[in-house]
Amino acid sequence: MTFAPLARAALMSVALMLTLTPAHAADESELKAAIVFNVLVFIEWPDEQKTVDLCVSPDNALLSALRRLDGRDLRDRTFRVQELRADSLPTTCNAAFVDPADRVKHAPLVKNLSDLGVFTISDDAEAPPRTTAIVMQRVGARFALDVNMPAVRQARIRLSSKLLRLARTVRE
Amino acid sequence: MNERRTDPFRSHQGPRLGKRLTRAVFIATGVALLVAGLIFDVFVYFSQRNALIDEVTVQARILAENSSAAILFDDRQSASQTLAGLQASTAILHAQVIGPDGRVLASFRPENAARAGMRSPPFAKAAASHEFVRDTLVVNQPVGEANMTVGAVRLVADLQPLYARVAMHVLITVLAAAAALGFAFAVVVRIRRDVDATEARLDYLAYYDPVTGLPNRHAASEQIARLMATVGHTSDGFGLLMLDLDDFKVVNDTLGHPIGDKLLRAIASRLSQYIHSTYIACRFGGDEFIVIAPRLVGRPQLEVLGIAVLRALEESIVVEGHEIRSRCSVGLAQYPADGKDAASLIRAADTALYEAKARGKNTFSIYVPDMERKATLRIRLDADLRRAIENNELHLAYQPIVRAATGATVGVEALLRWAHPELGDIPPAEFIPMAESSGAIVDIGQWVLDEACRQIKRWSDDGHHVFVAVNVSAKQIRRGLRAQIDLALAASGADPHLLEIEITEHSMVEDIDSNVAQLAALSSLGIRVAVDDFGTGLSSLAYLKRLPINKLKIDRAFVKDLPHSADDLAIAQAIISLSHSLELTVVAEGIETEQQRHALVAHKCDYLQGFLISRPVSAQDVVAFFGDRPRGGRATRRAIIGA
């Protein structure tokens, strides 16, 4: 797999931060997993919260890449990856990653997430803006982030202005 | 008085204190301003530099804070946008956002940056730092996010604006220092004017006498030293004249010091007019002047100078309506003959001056080596005379005075003798003037009165009722003669009728009112008064009527050439007839020949005294003459007293 130098650099920064696996091990899913992790870095989590639980569907393409990040430090909190079952309510999720396949295969789950107002990140260009807080999309050599503020507000968290400044679009 | 006239006496030129003051003030002010300015400018440089470091560091921190997301998401555009905020900052030459691997994520250069060049060593430092590279300040600021360092921001700031600001401060400091120096200069100029004037005045006073405007003693000494150096080269020697005003004290005492000062000024100007233009008149102190006469050598030339100076003061001087006839005594000496150095030359002139005074004032005298010896002797005698009474070195000799008609001794004149233990008998003509000038005459006079009265008493006790004539000086009279005589009479128990006081004509007329009272008091005691040296004083005869005197003594000067000198004979005759018509008796003194005695007897002189009859002899020896007188009781004594 060939990565653009910039994408590799972004991954390296995550690797530096988290002392993750060497750069040569990175592939597209690992890169996306790093971006998801970095987005969570720029969220101001409540003080009493000691873990950041990212919920992912069992057959999500990034699951294995994200799992490798499980247990890492995220702003003095522990980053954890949870597998979401179709029949369970995602009540313990702080955030969720949904890919295009999830929208088709796990529609009820996605609906639950949106109903509960979980902070949702997606790489699906078709993801509904109303319930998806952040959508990442490859644009040439890099990924662009689109932020949907109503969904962010619904998740009752605050995004760092630093992240907002990077966003390609911020929808109100 | 012209203080700024040409003078040869100032060895230095121009004011020194003023120059030194100006220099000192400028150096002190300059050093103070330099040190203060340097400290201030160094302080300004470092504080401005620290301010720049703080400012750039703060900017770097802000950029670092805002760049973390861009680094993490590898967003060059965002990083560039963040750096674009530096456009407003004038000092920043270059800025970089550096990723975790040292790769430059974004870079910024202001559009108007004249200088460029980012020397960017690879990112290695986790801590913030700054360093100075050439004329730039390089600040490294790590970019952190979530407790981790994810990259760095590096800013390069231009130091030129800092230098420009510091240079401006230096310029302001220099201008302020220049203004301060200018102010100091203005102050110093004003002070210096006073200092210069004071210094000039002090300088003048150091070399000139403020009363007369003549060079002073100090200047004279320097001039003498200078002239001495020329002898043997450009001259054969020079003359020195010393002048002392006779009786200047009288002018001061009677007319007051202001007039005395004016008189000194007038004399100074007279002197300057009468002496050669190359001669220098100086005021030596008090009423003493000296004239330094360059290239004047030889006795005849000295005499010419002496005469010229005496002539200068011959004409009376009018000061504020007072016509003052100022007389002076002058002493002259020459270099190198009379002194080897300035002090000995001045001493030689002074010795000659003393000699001139001793010769009767208003005259000049030229130094001869013998004077020094005489002067030394005089000083010694003067000192010894004060001890003569207690050492019993004084004694009285007696010269008989006989009745002209019979040759009988009626009295004696007591004459003072001094037998110096080392120098032998000192002539009265030598030591009496000395005692007069030193004031010792008062004590000596008292001793003479005491001794004469004791002798009267002894002779009376032995049956010799002869009178004893005692000479008294003007000083004794001024001190109160009556008291002195009372003391002598009381101590001895002598009969006052046998005491006769001889007063010179000069002393008699000096303070006639006081003398009349004093002599009247003596008369009331029965003491007789004779006028000594009559005919030499050239004074009015009117006092003869006023004074209670009994006897005149014809001075030996008129006796000496008798009977051959018709003039002297006429004078003697006139004195005798004058005396008789005023009911006074007459004594002729200094009779040495039989012819003189005959002439005086023929002209009815009452009494005679002189070597023809006897030299002055001791008290024991003079008794032999008493036998010549007719022996008798009170009748004889009355006759003596009546004489």
Side-chain angles (χ1 to χ4, degrees), chain A residues 5-7 9-10 12-13 16-17 35 38-39 41-42 75-76 142 145 162-163 165-166, chain B residues 65-66 68-78 100-101 103 145-150:
Chain A
L6 295 183
M12 272 183 68
S13 70
L16 183 87
M17 264 177 80
I35 289 171
N38 281 351
V39 167
V41 166
F42 288 97
R75 287 196 185 276
D76 297 330
R142 59 187 283 262
L145 299 180
K162 293 175 188 174
L163 187 66
R165 270 210 302 281
L166 290 182
Chain B
E65 183 67 17
N66 292 333
S68 59
I71 293 170
L72 283 177
F73 291 100
D74 194 35
D75 190 334
R76 285 167 174 265
Q77 193 185 354
S78 174
D101 55 350
R103 195 171 44 83
E145 192 59 62
N147 304 330
M148 293 303 227
T149 302
V150 298

Side-chain angles (χ1 to χ4, degrees), chain A residues 47-60:
Chain A
D47 286 345
E48 64 278 6
Q49 187 179 323
K50 296 301 169 206
T51 57
V52 175
D53 289 277
L54 178 72
C55 295
V56 186
S57 65
D59 44 1
N60 190 288

